[in-house]
Amino acid sequence: MTQELIETVDVVRPGKSLVVAIDGPSGSGKSSVSKEVARRLRLAYLDTGAMYRALTWFCLDNGTNLADGEAIEAAAEGLQLEISTSPQEEYVRVAGTDITDAIREPAISAAVSAIATTLGARTELIRRQRELIEKHHRRMVVEGRDITTVVAPHAEVRMLLTANEEARLRRRGIQLGGSQSAEQLAAQVTARDAKDSTVVNFTQAADGVVTLDSSDLDFAQTVDAALGIVHKVLNHTVINHTAINRD
């Protein structure tokens, strides 16, 4: 794994941990919003979905049987993965091969649920995700599907970013540059969510997780709303801590 520490001047909670965990369904905008939140807060950034896509690419490339859970788990453990952890750049490499663009191809999107629902593979990738959080001194925006409940349940800020189906399909279509048909978009968004929800709940907020519905918000408004949640949660924590100390 590659560790990339970004500048730590004028940051929120300097010298203290600040993990912002963001979950959400496909097409909710969590990747772009999370990256901008990380940039604005001067935190590291991790797209955990890219890790599952990288493992999917690796399995397809080496002919791993996607119905063989043990084989997928072994592939996960042997995966030579480098992934960017800075909001300023994006790269994903497996054994030195740049697959940043390749993991967004329809073939990967169609197969990734088989990987993401393999519990042994999830265990290994979760271990790596937690390792990266620690390497960045617990100062990171981490986004995915099980971050608020499994990967970082004790994060200082936990958020569920969601949107209605119409908005999610529209956004994913724009993201892919109009290259996908309506059926392909539905498969990438709603069908994949249905498969992945068999192993993790990313459609309803767990206790202590703040929901942000971006259905009627544009990108800038969603980022501002997310930042507002971060500051509100942190201020509330400070107020409560002060009250406890006074007592």
Side-chain angles (χ1 to χ4, degrees):
M1 292 288 191
T2 299
Q3 178 184 2
E4 299 168 338
L5 297 178
I6 58 179
E7 295 179 7
T8 55
V9 294
D10 298 324
V11 298
V12 177
R13 288 170 57 90
K16 298 180 180 179
S17 64
L18 175 53
V19 177
V20 179
I22 302 180
D23 286 331
S26 301
S28 60
K30 62 182 182 292
S31 292
S32 55
V33 170
S34 297
K35 186 179 294 186
E36 180 62 15
V37 167
R39 190 188 69 80
R40 298 266 287 269
L41 294 177
R42 294 185 180 274
L43 298 176
Y45 163 75
L46 180 61
D47 175 359
T48 64
M51 297 176 72
Y52 286 99
R53 286 176 173 271
L55 178 56
T56 303
W57 179 91
F58 180 59
C59 287
L60 292 177
D61 186 65
N62 64 24
T64 300
N65 182 356
L66 299 189
D68 187 339
E70 291 185 359
I72 292 174
E73 181 177 352
E77 293 174 352
L79 182 67
Q80 298 178 45
L81 176 66
E82 294 177 83
I83 185 168
S84 56
T85 51
S86 165
Q88 308 292 352
E89 62 178 326
E90 178 183 4
Y91 65 76
V92 182
R93 304 183 189 116
V94 169
T97 299
D98 190 313
I99 59 169
T100 307
D101 295 329
I103 63 171
R104 305 299 173 183
E105 293 294 326
I108 302 299
S109 298
V112 68
S113 285
I115 303 299
T117 54
T118 300
L119 297 183
R122 292 192 73 86
T123 297
E124 171 60 17
L125 292 186
I126 288 169
R127 182 193 67 78
R128 296 189 188 207
Q129 291 156 17
R130 289 172 173 166
E131 184 179 74
L132 279 172
I133 293 172
E134 294 301 324
K135 281 185 176 180
H136 286 275
H137 311 295
R138 295 188 56 81
R139 294 190 60 81
M140 177 178 272
V141 176
V142 190
E143 57 100 346
R145 294 175 181 269
D146 59 356
I147 314 305
T148 64
T149 56
V150 178
V151 177
H154 303 298
E156 283 73 18
V157 182
R158 297 188 298 154
M159 193 183 315
L160 176 67
L161 177 58
T162 189
N164 61 39
E165 184 175 312
E166 179 184 358
R168 292 190 290 119
L169 287 170
R170 182 180 68 252
R171 290 169 184 168
R172 180 53 58 87
I174 293 173
Q175 180 186 18
L176 296 173
S179 61
Q180 306 295 299
S181 66
E183 292 76 14
Q184 288 174 316
L185 283 175
Q188 286 198 27
V189 177
T190 56
R192 183 189 164 195
D193 284 350
K195 292 177 182 177
D196 289 1
S197 65
T198 61
V199 294
V200 62
N201 182 4
F202 51 86
T203 58
Q204 294 181 328
D207 289 344
V209 177
V210 181
T211 298
L212 171 55
D213 189 332
S214 65
S215 301
D216 299 320
L217 304 178
D218 61 22
F219 175 72
Q221 291 170 328
T222 305
V223 170
D224 286 343
L227 289 168
I229 289 172
V230 171
H231 290 295
K232 184 175 182 179
V233 170
L234 293 180
N235 289 338
H236 181 71
T237 301
V238 170
I239 292 170
N240 281 348
H241 181 70
T242 302
I244 290 172
N245 286 343
R246 286 175 178 172
D247 291 344

